[in-house]
Amino acid sequence: MEPTKRKMKILEAVVEAYIKTGDPIGSKAVCDVLDFNVSSATVRNDMAELSNLGLLEQPHTSSGRVPTELGYRVYLDELMKPEPLNKKEQAAIRNSLDLGADTPESLLETAAEVLSKITGCAAFAASPPGDNAVIRQIRFVRTGSYTAMVVLITSLGTVKTKLFRCDYMITPSLLEMFDRAINERLSGRLVTSITPAFIQTTAISLGEMSIMMPSVLLAVSEAAKEASVDGTAIRGQSNLFSMPELASEDGKKVMELLEKTGELSKLITAAGKGAGVLIGSELHHPALSSLSIIAAQYTAAPECSGTLALIGPLRMNYPKIISTLGYVADVVGEFLSELLDA
Amino acid sequence: MEPTKRKMKILEAVVEAYIKTGDPIGSKAVCDVLDFNVSSATVRNDMAELSNLGLLEQPHTSSGRVPTELGYRVYLDELMKPEPLNKKEQAAIRNSLDLGADTPESLLETAAEVLSKITGCAAFAASPPGDNAVIRQIRFVRTGSYTAMVVLITSLGTVKTKLFRCDYMITPSLLEMFDRAINERLSGRLVTSITPAFIQTTAISLGEMSIMMPSVLLAVSEAAKEASVDGTAIRGQSNLFSMPELASEDGKKVMELLEKTGELSKLITAAGKGAGVLIGSELHHPALSSLSIIAAQYTAAPECSGTLALIGPLRMNYPKIISTLGYVADVVGEFLSELLDA
DNA sequence: AGTTAGCACTCTATCATGTCGAGTGCTAAT
DNA sequence: ATTAGCACTCGACATGATAGAGTGCTAACT
């Protein structure tokens, strides 16, 4: 069909113009950008039909048109082409990430930082799911006569510490004993396998030792539990302030959501595994109804991948931002695998 | 002087009423709350004089009065009495903090969280200055054939990690050798003493060992450097959205400031050492001109104290908030000393 | 001398009214 | 199928009138 093609072109023009200016787009403005040589009246007819299809809407009778959520969806699925980054942009990103690549955590923080700077959105980075992390080593460090610290290091390169206190004086030799005994029994195990029940049986197998310092095993299990939750980094919250779609009521709700990393994490990993872009009501969250989340997965190794995401207004430069996010995800995966592998 | 006393009472009434309602306060409203039995006309005369003294001002000729910055200052210095917490409030705070007291970091995070929830402000917690931290122990953990992790633990209970990569295959025995050699030379030293120059001389004293793995010492020195910067936690940024004094332009600037912890840190430790409350222009920062920072120090041990702070509007319930902050600081100091001491 | 009542005055917030311009939908001509 | 032309709608903006809150001042009061 021929007319359908022109209508699509018009939809594309409206979406892109609206993304640029933020003002409703009139038929004349569309005419100016369009390749077809048609008059504004023709465009008007087509736009009226696009409105009937639910792809465009007018804020009030007789002002320009604005894309509906469905309009954005069609644009994203059928019309938009990602705009690849040039060498210079790629180099800048790679360079910034390299500087932050000391530990997995700092790499993800840097990635979120870089993304938020470039895109002007709030950026979110989730570590690979902690529940298939394996305990690499557990160390004990004396911090006082009656206090010590357990240091748990996982295969994902994360480190969790926990201070504990004993009734008995803690001697270096006692700690060394524990160190050996615990590592023997726990290293190599999944962090999720350190359940209370497992701790119970370990305590029994340790015999007298565990009786002397009951808090040790508790501290270890708590550290393991913490290691099993996914780490997250959020940067660029300040960008939310500049989004006019966030009246201060909603803005507060969104910020609160960002402060509860757990809830957000679910939402975003879902997005990352799916289409990549979730908009408005697709997010199933009242505060986010006028926002858009773009997610991409990075992969450091088979079975070891996490998600990067951007939270911004519906009205954003998708072609550029999607490629940027994709490139950052690639580089993060690459650097992370360097950090973790043999 | 008798009249001065009444004027002060009036100032107090205006400040407190304004803090409650946010609307300019008229002479009639002041009359209603005042103990003195005087007419609104008398109050008007006094208020006119308070305006001349620069303590009150009117948004426009002929509407109620609002405190000036100087007015707030006088109120804070001479009129306000902190409103002590009741047993129930104290218990709730103590309980929440106890739950988070696993490590110094998590204790501070919890403190910021609790403060932001109770006060409705953004809350900031700074660890004791890292520059008098001492290296307690350095550990090496193998994470791959060519990669390993250095784990640095300080006397303040903070842990910094750094991954590094070597050209040579990393064997457990090699790491153990390093472990011994490095701990022998570095533990007990101030983290700030691990300068490039010091690393240089250490490398020489290590002889062949350092030649085999040059990246080790680099990683150690970077970890030490990171350990010397003060840790910070910020919570409750979402509360900034509800402050009407933050038009979105300024709001963004404030958020950006919160994202740069370094700058803020200086400002706040200064406040903590001084009067405790800095308002508006006293903060010497354009974006903060309509905000107020309340700071309090906690002390875990002699020479080991840090700062808690709240960032909120000028118009806040000082008597309650100041006692809350003070109480949280006391409890944090107490818990932290339990975590750290012998 | 300090306090009070009364009154004119100022300024904001709000609503109704009128005008301008952008952009539409429809109809009739091409 | 496309186009030109025209009447119409609606928001943005300026103008003007009104009500209400609160002031400053003056003259009277204790």
Side-chain angles (χ1 to χ4, degrees):
Chain A
M1 271 220 257
E2 201 198 4
T4 304
K5 196 168 172 195
R6 189 181 60 206
K7 274 184 216 132
M8 282 298 165
K9 271 282 177 202
I10 289 175
L11 174 60
E12 188 178 355
V14 171
V15 173
E16 292 188 342
Y18 180 66
I19 282 174
K20 258 199 197 131
T21 67
D23 296 324
I25 308 301
S27 53
K28 188 128 181 288
V30 172
C31 260
D32 294 345
V33 252
L34 223 54
D35 309 346
F36 298 86
N37 249 353
V38 289
S39 81
S40 66
T42 309
V43 174
R44 269 204 293 285
N45 288 332
D46 285 353
M47 283 169 86
E49 216 160 319
L50 286 169
S51 290
N52 286 337
L53 293 172
L55 300 174
L56 296 179
E57 70 187 343
Q58 345 179 225
H60 7 271
T61 323
S62 208
S63 190
R65 252 97 172 181
V66 162
T68 62
E69 196 182 299
L70 187 58
Y72 279 116
R73 178 84 286 163
V74 170
Y75 172 75
L76 288 168
D77 291 344
E78 324 231 335
L79 300 170
M80 181 220 45
K81 294 264 173 297
E83 183 187 330
L85 304 182
N86 63 39
K87 296 280 172 208
K88 218 163 154 189
E89 293 167 320
Q90 293 190 348
I93 289 175
R94 182 171 279 272
N95 193 31
S96 312
L97 290 177
D98 199 13
L99 293 176
D102 295 321
T103 57
E105 285 97 342
S106 76
L107 176 59
L108 291 180
E109 282 165 19
T110 313
E113 179 90 28
V114 166
L115 279 171
S116 77
K117 283 260 171 59
I118 298 181
T119 64
C121 297
F124 178 97
S127 71
D131 48 14
N132 52 32
V134 165
I135 294 177
R136 171 128 35 211
Q137 216 169 103
I138 296 176
R139 288 291 177 99
F140 293 92
V141 177
R142 195 164 164 278
T143 57
S145 306
Y146 296 92
T147 58
M149 175 188 278
V150 48
V151 180
L152 188 156
I153 297 149
T154 74
S155 57
L156 295 178
T158 59
V159 178
K160 294 288 165 188
T161 62
K162 209 111 198 162
L163 285 161
F164 61 91
R165 170 177 290 273
C166 291
D167 304 330
Y168 293 77
M169 181 89 93
I170 298 175
T171 63
S173 62
L174 193 61
L175 273 189
E176 222 165 285
M177 221 166 68
F178 257 100
D179 203 307
R180 245 193 297 280
I182 300 256
N183 268 297
E184 203 171 90
R185 287 166 175 79
L186 299 193
S187 59
R189 302 191 71 96
L190 278 170
V191 290
T192 49
S193 71
I194 315 300
T195 57
F198 177 80
I199 287 291
Q200 193 75 14
T201 62
T202 308
I204 293 167
S205 93
L206 283 171
E208 270 186 50
M209 245 195 281
S210 74
I211 294 167
M212 282 188 67
M213 290 158 66
S215 45
V216 178
L217 285 172
L218 187 65
V220 170
S221 79
E222 278 177 2
K225 198 168 136 208
E226 271 179 30
S228 72
V229 314
D230 314 355
T232 54
I234 301 179
R235 291 298 143 97
Q237 293 105 312
S238 61
N239 289 323
L240 293 175
F241 263 96
S242 357
M243 300 178 191
E245 27 274 288
L246 291 183
S248 52
E249 325 137 34
D250 270 353
K252 175 147 202 228
K253 284 196 198 128
V254 175
M255 275 293 278
E256 279 168 2
L257 186 65
L258 291 187
E259 284 172 2
K260 288 182 207 151
T261 49
E263 244 182 277
L264 191 61
S265 210
K266 273 185 236 160
L267 204 62
I268 275 173
T269 43
K273 291 197 175 123
V277 184
L278 287 183
I279 57 179
S281 66
E282 297 168 4
L283 292 164
H284 299 299
H285 198 292
L288 301 176
S289 59
S290 62
L291 296 181
S292 160
I293 290 185
I294 307 182
Q297 287 196 289
Y298 61 84
T299 302
E303 302 289 309
C304 179
S305 54
T307 311
L308 303 181
L310 293 169
I311 301 171
L314 276 174
R315 200 197 118 216
M316 65 162 117
N317 183 357
Y318 293 98
K320 192 76 188 196
I321 284 182
I322 287 176
S323 345
T324 305
L325 181 62
Y327 184 73
V328 171
D330 287 347
V331 178
V332 164
E334 184 187 322
F335 283 3
L336 191 58
S337 77
E338 264 179 43
L339 277 180
L340 295 181
D341 79 0
Chain B
M1 275 220 256
E2 202 197 6
T4 305
K5 197 170 170 194
R6 189 181 60 207
K7 272 182 217 134
M8 282 299 166
K9 271 281 177 201
I10 290 176
L11 174 59
E12 187 178 355
V14 171
V15 173
E16 293 189 342
Y18 181 66
I19 282 174
K20 258 200 196 130
T21 68
D23 297 322
I25 308 301
S27 53
K28 188 129 180 290
V30 172
C31 260
D32 294 347
V33 252
L34 225 52
D35 309 348
F36 298 88
N37 249 353
V38 288
S39 81
S40 66
T42 309
V43 174
R44 270 205 292 284
N45 288 333
D46 286 352
M47 283 170 84
E49 216 161 316
L50 287 168
S51 290
N52 286 337
L53 293 172
L55 300 173
L56 296 179
E57 70 187 343
Q58 346 178 227
H60 11 271
T61 323
S62 208
S63 193
R65 252 99 173 180
V66 163
T68 62
E69 197 181 300
L70 187 59
Y72 279 114
R73 173 80 349 216
V74 171
Y75 171 74
L76 287 169
D77 289 345
E78 325 230 337
L79 301 169
M80 182 224 37
K81 294 264 172 300
E83 182 187 330
L85 304 182
N86 64 39
K87 296 279 170 206
K88 218 164 153 187
E89 294 167 319
Q90 293 190 349
I93 288 174
R94 181 170 281 270
N95 193 33
S96 312
L97 290 178
D98 200 12
L99 293 175
D102 295 321
T103 57
E105 283 96 343
S106 76
L107 176 60
L108 291 180
E109 282 166 18
T110 312
E113 179 92 27
V114 166
L115 279 171
S116 78
K117 282 259 170 62
I118 299 181
T119 63
C121 299
F124 178 97
S127 72
D131 47 16
N132 52 30
V134 164
I135 294 178
R136 191 170 323 255
Q137 215 168 107
I138 296 176
R139 289 291 177 96
F140 293 92
V141 177
R142 197 166 161 274
T143 57
S145 307
Y146 297 92
T147 58
M149 176 188 280
V150 48
V151 180
L152 187 155
I153 297 150
T154 73
S155 56
L156 296 178
T158 58
V159 178
K160 293 289 165 188
T161 62
K162 209 111 200 161
L163 286 160
F164 61 90
R165 170 176 291 271
C166 291
D167 303 330
Y168 293 78
M169 180 88 92
I170 299 176
T171 64
S173 62
L174 193 61
L175 272 190
E176 222 164 285
M177 223 167 64
F178 256 100
D179 202 306
R180 245 192 297 280
I182 299 256
N183 269 296
E184 204 171 90
R185 287 169 176 77
L186 299 193
S187 58
R189 302 190 72 95
L190 279 171
V191 291
T192 49
S193 71
I194 315 301
T195 57
F198 177 79
I199 287 291
Q200 193 73 16
T201 62
T202 308
I204 293 168
S205 94
L206 283 172
E208 270 188 50
M209 244 195 280
S210 74
I211 294 166
M212 283 188 67
M213 290 158 68
S215 44
V216 178
L217 284 173
L218 187 64
V220 169
S221 80
E222 278 177 2
K225 196 167 138 210
E226 273 179 27
S228 72
V229 313
D230 313 355
T232 54
I234 302 179
R235 291 299 143 95
Q237 294 105 310
S238 61
N239 290 322
L240 293 176
F241 262 96
S242 355
M243 300 179 191
E245 26 275 289
L246 290 182
S248 50
E249 324 136 34
D250 270 351
K252 175 145 203 231
K253 282 195 201 130
V254 175
M255 275 294 279
E256 280 167 0
L257 186 65
L258 290 188
E259 284 171 2
K260 287 182 207 151
T261 49
E263 241 182 281
L264 191 60
S265 212
K266 271 184 239 160
L267 204 62
I268 275 173
T269 44
K273 291 198 176 123
V277 183
L278 287 184
I279 56 180
S281 67
E282 297 168 6
L283 292 163
H284 299 299
H285 197 292
L288 301 176
S289 60
S290 62
L291 296 181
S292 161
I293 290 186
I294 307 182
Q297 287 196 290
Y298 61 83
T299 302
E303 301 289 311
C304 179
S305 53
T307 310
L308 302 180
L310 293 169
I311 301 171
L314 274 175
R315 200 196 120 216
M316 65 162 114
N317 183 356
Y318 293 98
K320 192 74 186 199
I321 285 182
I322 287 177
S323 338
T324 305
L325 181 62
Y327 185 71
V328 171
D330 287 346
V331 179
V332 164
E334 186 187 321
F335 284 3
L336 192 57
S337 77
E338 266 179 43
L339 279 179
L340 295 181
D341 80 359

